[in-house]
Amino acid sequence: MESTENNTIKVAILDLYEGQANEGMRCIRTILSDWSKANHQPIVVKEFDVRLNKEVPGLDFDIYISSGGPGSPLETEGSAWEEKYFGWVEQLSAWNDGSNFPKKHAFFICHSFQLFCRYFQLGNVCKRKSTSFGVFPVHQMEDGHAEKVFAGLNDPFYCVDSRDYQVIEPNHEKINEMGGAILAIEKNRPHIPLERAVMAIRFSEYFIGTQFHPEADAHGMAMYLQREDKKKVVIDAHGEEKWKSMVEQLLDPGKIMWTYQHILPNFLTEASRELILH
């Protein structure tokens, strides 16, 4: 990609963590910084505390990343911060639907993905029978293989999952109406009579989201899980075998590191393409 010294890209991060300690924001910041250096592309990043301060960005940014977050994606329906948040989504959609240029790309992670699916009625957003926590394979659908943001991924590829909720029973008609496509699903287990969760959707030409955490930094998370306090939390909740397996899989270069190096960097490259040509 050519350097555009005088063309600084403005990125907004919508922080949905509600002030809770997390690794997600650190990981997103690192990916943005690394991508900027690798592509000799200056960027300016601003963060918005959506839930605590009811902050949302305006239309004066080029690229948007909406984070994961704690709690139920169902219980906050109608809250003041959600109204502002979906006002932002609608504004962005209207900009992209009009004759405005360049278009504005947005990536929705985990909690944001579930909120988006609930708001646009793209599937059944519900509580899981048990928490999904660990490193899991994700299977690409046909549209996933053609998705530029997934370029270079294996099939299956691996993700870090940490959620009590899920999006199942996708509404194909509504997804098609938006110009979207299902990109990936949870690992297929035909012997278990549970609906498989949708793990990634191309919502429209400019919006994409994943129900997993593509920003999860394998080394950082492995170090985090090896802290005595975090190790105890995981072992108490999920057992020692799950803790050992997670640390081992995080350090496998073909698994989480590979996902980290591809999905969000690919998104930034695709989202900035027309900005650089502009």
Side-chain angles (χ1 to χ4, degrees):
M1 184 183 293
E2 291 176 24
S3 170
T4 54
E5 276 175 35
N6 303 317
N7 188 9
T8 300
I9 290 174
K10 294 175 74 181
V11 182
I13 306 175
L14 291 90
D15 175 358
L16 270 69
Y17 279 101
E18 207 170 23
Q20 293 197 17
N22 68 88
E23 289 286 283
M25 291 296 290
R26 175 188 66 79
C27 293
I28 293 168
R29 291 180 201 118
T30 304
I31 287 172
L32 285 166
S33 169
D34 290 350
W35 180 86
S36 170
K37 286 177 198 149
N39 292 282
H40 310 291
Q41 172 59 59
I43 63 172
V44 172
V45 180
K46 188 169 180 191
E47 296 176 15
F48 295 83
D49 189 329
V50 177
R51 292 169 78 166
L52 283 186
N53 297 340
K54 302 180 187 62
E55 296 171 348
V56 292
L59 292 172
D60 50 339
F61 289 86
D62 302 305
I63 296 172
Y64 301 79
I65 298 174
S66 188
S67 79
S72 164
L74 303 172
E75 288 169 13
T76 51
E77 188 169 4
S79 62
W81 72 260
E82 260 206 28
E83 285 189 24
K84 287 199 82 168
Y85 180 77
F86 288 115
W88 161 73
V89 172
E90 295 284 9
Q91 267 193 312
L92 214 53
S93 298
W95 171 280
N96 288 334
D97 288 343
S99 57
N100 308 294
F101 187 85
K103 302 300 183 185
K104 296 175 184 290
H105 293 250
F107 198 108
F108 298 82
I109 296 170
C110 197
H111 197 89
S112 296
F113 175 91
Q114 292 166 347
L115 290 174
F116 192 103
C117 288
R118 191 204 77 213
Y119 181 77
F120 288 103
Q121 301 175 325
L122 303 184
N124 175 14
V125 182
C126 57
K127 201 165 190 334
R128 286 178 55 89
K129 280 177 85 90
S130 60
T131 301
S132 176
F133 179 79
V135 173
F136 296 102
V138 175
H139 292 264
Q140 293 191 51
M141 307 294 279
E142 194 177 333
D143 287 301
H145 292 287
E147 173 56 59
K148 288 178 179 172
V149 170
F150 280 12
L153 289 180
N154 303 312
D155 187 15
F157 62 89
Y158 287 79
C159 76
V160 167
D161 212 6
S162 173
R163 60 193 167 86
D164 293 309
Y165 292 83
Q166 61 184 352
V167 178
I168 57 172
E169 299 160 0
N171 185 330
H172 296 281
E173 197 178 325
K174 290 218 165 173
I175 293 168
N176 291 339
E177 267 173 32
M178 288 180 84
I182 295 172
L183 305 177
I185 57 166
E186 241 177 342
K187 66 178 176 181
N188 194 22
R189 293 183 293 180
H191 58 289
I192 296 177
L194 291 173
E195 178 88 22
R196 296 294 83 211
V198 177
M199 295 304 281
I201 299 177
R202 162 63 67 187
F203 295 121
S204 67
E205 193 176 349
Y206 309 106
F207 292 175
I208 186 170
T210 62
Q211 191 158 213
F212 56 88
H213 286 271
E215 80 282 19
D217 152 28
H219 283 298
M221 283 201 67
M223 300 277 287
Y224 181 74
L225 286 175
Q226 288 173 82
R227 276 174 37 185
E228 281 308 315
D229 57 333
K230 295 299 164 195
K231 180 177 176 180
K232 184 179 184 312
V233 168
V234 175
I235 290 174
D236 287 353
H238 305 283
E240 192 165 2
E241 281 310 304
K242 168 66 85 173
W243 176 83
K244 277 186 188 163
S245 149
M246 227 184 143
V247 171
E248 201 175 281
Q249 292 194 80
L250 281 167
L251 297 175
D252 180 333
K255 291 189 174 173
I256 298 310
M257 286 184 219
W258 194 254
T259 302
Y260 173 86
Q261 288 160 358
H262 284 78
I263 292 185
L264 279 176
N266 284 348
F267 165 74
L268 292 168
T269 298
E270 290 306 316
S272 62
R273 215 175 273 289
E274 61 185 22
L275 297 167
I276 287 157
L277 295 172
H278 188 43

